[in-house]
Amino acid sequence: MSDGIMSKAATMEIPISSNGDTGSLPEDDGLEQDLQQVMVSGPNLNETSIVSGGYGGTAEGIIPTSTIKGSGLHQPHPSPPVGGEEVVRGIAVEKFDIVKKWGINTYKCTKQLISERFGRGSRTVDLELETQIELLRETKRKYECVLQLARALTNHFYSLVQTQHALGDAFADLSQKSPELQEEFGYNAETQKLLCKNGETLLGAVNFFVSSINTLVNKTMEDTLMTVKQYETARLEYDAYRTDLEELSMGPRDASTLCRLDAAQSQFQSHKDKYEKLRADVAIKLKFLEENKIKVMHKQLLLFHNAISAYFAGNQQQLEQTLKQFNIKLKTPGAEKPSWLEEQ
């Protein structure tokens, strides 16, 4: 292979053998999903329509209902603008070229993907980066589990607080109507009201925890994984055009082949540049994501621990101090919706 098509030192090209790891998915299902991902990026035809063969015509070709009288149809005959046919023809040719290039690119990528899956090709691998990507995906799955459990805890605890509130009201009512048990019902009512108040404070803290983890998982991590998907697509395209260039390089060197070889070299270089740029983008995003994750989780885990500990220790003062420490403000009584039910 010539120097122009060598990968950087950080990557290496490895052959895919029939015993190679094809991922956790069954081979047929994994291949089908990858093929769908290759096909999903269709050609960008913008919003301009092609006036050809009756498809995508402009409003000028529509017959107004006001021109239909009786059994006769009176169609308007607008005169085409000067140079209109040339413009239409140019748009049609341009869009045909876009579709053609997309089709060729899809074919090459599909061929490369199948070759990799069945051990007949090679793929470029950045071991360090791909290890970090897999670690991110695993971390995201685990954080999603924590998020689901924290939301379940919030819902269950909210039901408990609501029940305590209703029970406190029932005790207070019976205290007024049962003179012989007024004191007993009374202090039980006060206890339930205090528990309810502390429960609302704890729910405010847990909801803040849930909201922060949700942002980290479904916005910050997801944004990085979107860039990862673009990188993986660019990697497949890079290897597809690299393979194409290698095959042409091993062929005869006649005039026709040399012309195709120059074009293949140019296309390969373009996809190589795109691949290397996205690889650098992913590396940077992974670095910043890790720093942000540590900063966010340090704060949120401390909040969660202190709030839970204070509540179950019955330390109302420490519980309220925890919310002040993390600048969590509960909605005032009488608000339409309590703080623990804010949108997540």
Side-chain angles (χ1 to χ4, degrees):
M1 186 187 304
S2 64
D3 294 337
I5 55 176
M6 289 293 291
S7 301
K8 284 191 172 182
T11 64
M12 67 178 183
E13 216 175 276
I14 61 171
I16 308 299
S17 66
S18 57
N19 295 325
D21 181 14
T22 58
S24 57
L25 290 171
E27 185 171 75
D28 291 343
D29 292 343
L31 180 59
E32 181 180 353
Q33 287 192 15
D34 287 338
L35 287 173
Q36 289 176 351
Q37 185 173 350
V38 169
M39 294 297 295
V40 76
S41 324
N44 179 15
L45 300 182
N46 300 320
E47 297 181 354
T48 311
S49 58
I50 304 175
V51 184
S52 174
Y55 294 97
T58 64
E60 292 177 346
I62 300 175
I63 305 171
T65 54
S66 60
T67 62
I68 303 177
K69 297 180 180 179
S71 60
L73 296 178
H74 303 281
Q75 300 185 17
H77 299 281
S79 56
V82 178
E85 292 183 2
E86 287 77 4
V87 172
V88 169
R89 188 179 298 109
I91 293 173
V93 170
E94 180 183 357
K95 292 188 176 183
F96 175 77
D97 287 341
I98 292 173
V99 173
K100 181 181 177 182
K101 289 178 182 177
W102 172 76
I104 292 173
N105 185 73
T106 302
Y107 165 75
K108 290 182 185 295
C109 290
T110 304
K111 178 183 175 184
Q112 174 67 23
L113 184 63
I114 293 173
S115 295
E116 291 177 6
R117 284 303 177 96
F118 290 97
R120 295 192 294 270
S122 63
R123 64 183 293 253
T124 303
V125 177
D126 186 327
L127 290 175
E128 181 180 358
L129 192 62
E130 294 197 10
T131 299
Q132 292 176 359
I133 290 171
E134 185 53 39
L135 180 61
L136 169 58
R137 288 184 168 131
E138 180 64 22
T139 300
K140 185 171 183 286
R141 285 191 290 268
K142 291 179 179 179
Y143 276 43
E144 285 171 339
C145 181
V146 169
L147 180 60
Q148 182 181 8
L149 291 171
R151 280 176 169 158
L153 177 65
T154 304
N155 292 333
H156 293 319
F157 204 78
Y158 173 72
S159 297
L160 173 63
V161 171
Q162 291 294 94
T163 302
Q164 288 175 330
H165 189 278
L167 188 57
D169 288 344
F171 282 150
D173 181 62
L174 285 168
S175 176
Q176 297 295 324
K177 298 177 180 177
S178 306
E180 69 283 1
L181 294 170
Q182 181 178 10
E183 185 178 350
E184 289 84 349
F185 276 127
Y187 60 65
N188 271 285
E190 290 300 320
T191 299
Q192 292 302 317
K193 287 180 180 179
L194 178 61
L195 289 173
C196 185
K197 180 179 183 297
N198 290 344
E200 290 174 353
T201 306
L202 176 62
L203 279 167
V206 175
N207 184 70
F208 186 76
F209 174 85
V210 168
S211 177
S212 298
I213 303 303
N214 179 61
T215 299
L216 178 64
V217 171
N218 293 315
K219 292 184 180 178
T220 312
M221 289 185 178
E222 188 60 31
D223 175 72
T224 301
L225 286 173
M226 287 297 294
T227 306
V228 167
K229 289 178 183 178
Q230 294 172 3
Y231 157 75
E232 290 173 339
T233 300
R235 196 284 306 165
L236 182 63
E237 291 176 343
Y238 165 72
D239 279 333
Y241 282 88
R242 173 184 56 79
T243 301
D244 189 48
L245 180 59
E246 290 173 354
E247 291 175 352
L248 282 172
S249 298
M250 293 185 292
R253 296 303 181 94
D254 53 33
S256 175
T257 304
L258 288 174
C259 182
R260 291 171 58 198
L261 192 59
D262 288 342
Q265 178 68 50
S266 175
Q267 291 173 334
F268 165 77
Q269 188 61 48
S270 173
H271 285 88
K272 180 183 179 183
D273 293 343
K274 178 182 177 183
Y275 162 71
E276 291 180 347
K277 179 184 181 302
L278 281 166
R279 184 178 64 183
D281 289 347
V282 169
I284 291 171
K285 284 202 172 188
L286 286 171
K287 179 178 181 293
F288 284 128
L289 174 61
E290 184 64 18
E291 294 173 355
N292 185 50
K293 182 192 74 175
I294 293 172
K295 181 180 178 181
V296 168
M297 292 308 298
H298 174 77
K299 175 181 178 179
Q300 294 304 318
L301 290 172
L302 186 62
L303 161 69
F304 192 83
H305 173 270
N306 290 352
I308 291 285
S309 298
Y311 174 82
F312 284 100
N315 193 332
Q316 180 181 357
Q317 184 178 1
Q318 183 182 340
L319 182 60
E320 292 176 350
Q321 185 61 37
T322 298
L323 266 68
K324 290 180 181 178
Q325 178 185 352
F326 293 94
N327 298 317
I328 301 172
K329 296 181 181 179
L330 298 179
K331 290 189 176 179
T332 55
E336 293 183 1
K337 191 167 57 173
S339 62
W340 60 85
L341 290 182
E342 289 178 352
E343 295 297 329
Q344 299 173 2

